[in-house]
Amino acid sequence: MDNFIAARSQMALSLGFHIVFSCIGMVMPFFMAVSHLIWLRTGNPNYKNITKAWSKGVAIFFATGAVSGTVLSFELGLLWPEFMKHAGPIFGMPFSLEGTAFFIEAIALGFYLYGWDRFNRWFHWFTGVIVGVSGLLSGILVVSANAWMNSPKGFDYVNGKYINIDPIAAMFNDAWFSQALHMSLAAFAATGFAVAGVHALMIIRKNNVVFHQKGFKIAALFACVAALLQPLSGDISAKDVAKRQPAKLAAMEAHFETEKGAPFILGGIPDEKEKKVNYAIKIPGVLSFLAHGDFKAEVKGLNSIPENEHPPIAITHFAFQIMIGLGVLMMITAVIYFFALWKKKEWLTKEWLLKLFVIVTPMGFLAVEAGWTVTEVGRQPWIIYGVMRTADAVTPMPGIAYSFYVFTLVYVSLAVVVTFMLYRQIKMVNILYDVKEGVQ
């Protein structure tokens, strides 16, 4: 494994783990705050118990997210020194603000975890809200930095030099809103379905049914609303990518020929040599509509883009198809759940509906990983789109492959530890709150 592949693999591994921790850290505090608010208004002890149980999960993922995020910060400088040399002064502002949001989140979480029966009850709840808001802002600011890599702005690139730097323009680049919206909704959907799935499994097993029913409803509502809104953000993102990164859009759809009325491709296996997609279902005109709002609009194909600027087509295409497929399954689940709430309330206690949520449990995070793959792999061969190639940014330091092996071991170990801690936490919840089973 050469240094370039090792550096990219290590970064992909780190991001792949961190994005799960950060999504949960962004979203779980909102679930916690809603449950806490319901307890304050109703006095129902089940909601207090749910809040306390969720707050421990928030603490676990805050700690692991802080560790994995710190590693990523060091990796940017160690693995991509040429990138940070030039890009740091331009897009450093969102990282600095993210650090501020992180510290606010840490302080608020400390107040929240140790504030039970010590603070005014409404002030205590408010500290939980601050945890959620600062966590969400932290995520949005990091996405803004990544969006800059996809849509560089706030500087002039003249004769190999970066001049006239404007950090504000760089932070609010053309891609930040669409990426931040899409990522935030994805985080709510992924975390919501994961939490709802765990509660659904506990209900099926007849463990503390009332407790888990109430937790399930809060998580399911967040997840289902986000899943139904996600296609709208996806449409915004698709039009943005079509305008700024036509090569990425073409790779997402394995779209080889520039044409009007371009079809939307479902499935299929790209054949890069023959420049076609085998075994695909093509829906005429839909790609043109998604990209430009016109069924007859022209969509640029890979044939009109220099081959040395093509992203890895197969990986990008398969990741996009996985993201779309899982997103559709989550939408269907959301529609069924809202229909049950509206017309078929008896479905809410049916085991088949609970099993559906159990099946969907991992889909949100799988879709997040696939979507992040589309974003990052689809930008290649550029680390700063159209300005700096990834190969030109990698460190010349030897031995990066060994670093990749070590970090793989560290992250796998971290995943095992976090899984064990969550498993133990769920068991403790069932033991501690079993006595509350009769409380309605």
Side-chain angles (χ1 to χ4, degrees):
M1 184 184 292
D2 63 31
N3 277 358
F4 179 56
I5 297 299
R8 287 188 63 187
S9 299
Q10 183 173 325
M11 204 72 191
L13 176 79
S14 302
L15 284 167
F17 275 93
H18 180 68
I19 199 169
V20 174
F21 301 145
S22 59
C23 283
I24 297 173
M26 288 165 59
V27 172
M28 276 298 295
F30 287 99
F31 297 179
M32 179 182 76
V34 168
S35 178
H36 195 164
L37 179 63
I38 296 173
W39 171 64
L40 290 175
R41 291 191 174 276
T42 66
N44 187 326
N46 276 300
Y47 288 106
K48 182 180 181 181
N49 294 336
I50 292 167
T51 304
K52 285 191 170 184
W54 281 348
S55 68
K56 293 175 182 177
V58 169
I60 290 171
F61 281 103
F62 177 83
T64 52
V67 172
S68 60
T70 302
V71 170
L72 275 170
S73 299
F74 283 111
E75 284 180 340
L76 280 172
L78 293 173
L79 300 178
W80 313 102
E82 193 66 21
F83 167 69
M84 291 303 296
K85 173 184 175 182
H86 299 290
I90 305 172
F91 82 148
M93 180 171 284
F95 277 126
S96 300
L97 294 176
E98 189 273 336
T100 302
F102 172 80
F103 283 119
I104 293 172
E105 182 183 6
I107 293 167
L109 182 59
F111 279 145
Y112 190 83
L113 293 175
Y114 296 101
W116 290 98
D117 304 319
R118 292 182 176 89
F119 296 144
N120 172 280
R121 48 193 259 157
W122 287 103
F123 175 77
H124 182 222
W125 169 78
F126 183 68
T127 61
V129 175
I130 294 298
V131 174
V133 171
S134 56
L136 183 61
L137 284 175
S138 181
I140 289 172
L141 287 164
V142 170
V143 171
S144 173
N146 177 264
W148 178 83
M149 296 165 69
N150 287 298
S151 179
K153 196 175 181 181
F155 67 97
D156 292 322
Y157 185 64
V158 180
N159 297 327
K161 295 183 178 181
Y162 299 77
I163 60 175
N164 301 325
I165 294 172
D166 183 349
I168 299 295
M171 184 167 66
F172 295 107
N173 55 79
D174 294 337
W176 85 269
F177 176 75
S178 61
Q179 280 197 210
L181 177 63
H182 200 58
M183 185 66 232
S184 298
L185 288 173
F188 273 96
T191 305
F193 278 116
V195 173
V198 171
H199 285 294
L201 182 61
M202 294 300 106
I203 296 169
I204 292 171
R205 292 179 176 178
K206 309 298 181 185
N207 290 329
N208 304 337
V209 172
V210 174
F211 172 90
H212 287 294
Q213 281 177 335
K214 296 186 184 305
F216 169 82
K217 186 173 183 179
I218 293 172
L221 285 171
F222 270 101
C224 292
V225 169
L228 292 177
L229 291 176
Q230 191 66 298
L232 300 177
S233 73
D235 181 65
I236 294 171
S237 295
K239 288 178 170 56
D240 179 61
V241 169
K243 179 181 178 182
R244 294 182 300 95
Q245 295 177 296
K248 178 185 286 188
L249 180 70
M252 287 160 60
E253 275 291 288
H255 182 64
F256 289 98
E257 301 295 327
T258 299
E259 61 181 312
K260 295 181 178 180
F264 184 81
I265 296 175
L266 291 175
I269 301 174
D271 184 337
E272 297 183 40
K273 185 177 181 180
E274 298 294 330
K275 300 191 182 304
K276 64 180 182 177
V277 184
N278 299 316
Y279 316 113
I281 299 172
K282 297 184 178 182
I283 307 175
V286 173
L287 181 59
S288 291
F289 178 77
L290 292 175
H292 302 291
D294 181 354
F295 285 101
K296 296 182 180 180
E298 182 177 274
V299 177
K300 183 181 284 190
L302 289 163
N303 67 326
S304 60
I305 299 167
E307 284 198 18
N308 66 349
E309 295 182 10
H310 285 189
I313 298 168
I315 295 174
T316 307
H317 176 70
F318 290 138
F320 180 64
Q321 295 294 311
I322 290 170
M323 180 186 70
I324 294 294
L326 294 174
V328 170
L329 290 174
M330 288 186 286
M331 281 179 56
I332 292 171
T333 303
V335 170
I336 292 171
Y337 183 67
F338 281 126
F339 183 74
L341 285 175
W342 180 42
K343 286 287 188 181
K344 295 284 186 180
K345 293 191 182 296
E346 64 272 17
W347 288 4
L348 299 175
T349 57
K350 298 294 185 182
E351 191 167 301
W352 66 264
L353 182 63
L354 296 171
K355 286 183 177 179
L356 177 60
F357 274 88
V358 172
I359 292 170
V360 175
T361 298
M363 290 186 181
F365 285 113
L366 292 174
V368 166
E369 297 286 6
W372 198 250
T373 299
V374 171
T375 299
E376 294 300 289
V377 176
R379 188 181 64 247
Q380 301 307 314
W382 307 100
I383 192 168
I384 306 175
Y385 189 73
V387 177
M388 179 185 289
R389 289 178 178 268
T390 310
D392 296 331
V394 71
T395 179
M397 184 179 70
I400 297 299
Y402 298 106
S403 173
F404 167 64
Y405 300 141
V406 170
F407 274 88
T408 299
L409 180 62
V410 168
Y411 275 109
V412 170
S413 301
L414 183 61
V416 171
V417 170
V418 171
T419 301
F420 170 74
M421 291 177 68
L422 289 176
Y423 175 74
R424 189 179 66 172
Q425 177 63 24
I426 292 169
K427 285 188 68 176
M428 289 298 295
V429 165
N430 287 329
I431 294 170
L432 289 173
Y433 302 131
D434 187 54
V435 295
K436 299 296 182 181
E437 179 60 37
V439 181
Q440 301 294 326

